[in-house]
Amino acid sequence: QVQLVESGGGLVQAGGSLRLSCAASGRTFSGFAVAWFRRAPGKEREFVAGISWSGGWTYYADSMKGRSTISRDNAKNTVNLQMNNLKPEDTAVYYCAAAKSGTVLGYDFVYDYWGQGTQVTVSS
């Protein structure tokens, strides 16, 4: 079993930056793919970014390309999401998810473990 805990959310002005972290406990998730999803009020949960088990392959939603970087440190059991030039439409609860398959996909149903989420609010 893997427990995921997100941190780093908060309130930031448009154009600002945040660094979200996902820490795993219970067992190592070095063989898992890890992704970030988000859910804005009144909207469906959507894929934001993902990283393969090795860290050698990353994938971003079009809305986040060029503005975010996902990285992982398997020795520390953490995955980070650096988000820059944030916009009000980025306001959402951000969730970390891990997939035993090790492969990043943009579909939430392939992920086996989820964190509780961290709120990101971007003011205009």
Side-chain angles (χ1 to χ4, degrees), residues 33-82:
V34 178
W36 288 92
F37 286 78
R38 67 186 182 186
R39 189 195 298 271
K43 295 187 177 181
E44 297 290 318
R45 184 164 56 189
E46 64 176 0
F47 175 83
V48 175
I51 188 166
S52 62
W53 68 271
S54 67
W57 192 79
T58 57
Y59 181 67
Y60 299 90
D62 287 344
S63 61
M64 297 303 288
K65 283 180 181 176
R67 300 193 295 127
S68 62
T69 303
I70 189 170
S71 60
R72 70 188 298 162
D73 185 336
N74 286 337
K76 296 182 178 180
N77 253 7
T78 57
V79 171
N80 298 312
L81 180 67
Q82 176 69 41

Side-chain angles (χ1 to χ4, degrees), residues 2-16:
V2 175
Q3 290 81 44
L4 304 176
V5 178
E6 303 94 337
S7 63
L11 173 64
V12 64
Q13 289 187 331

Side-chain angles (χ1 to χ4, degrees), residues 3 10 13 17 25 50 52 72 83 85 90 93 98-99 108-109:
Q3 290 81 44
Q13 289 187 331
S17 300
S25 62
S52 62
R72 70 188 298 162
M83 301 188 294
N85 190 23
D90 294 319
V93 178
D108 58 6
F109 60 81

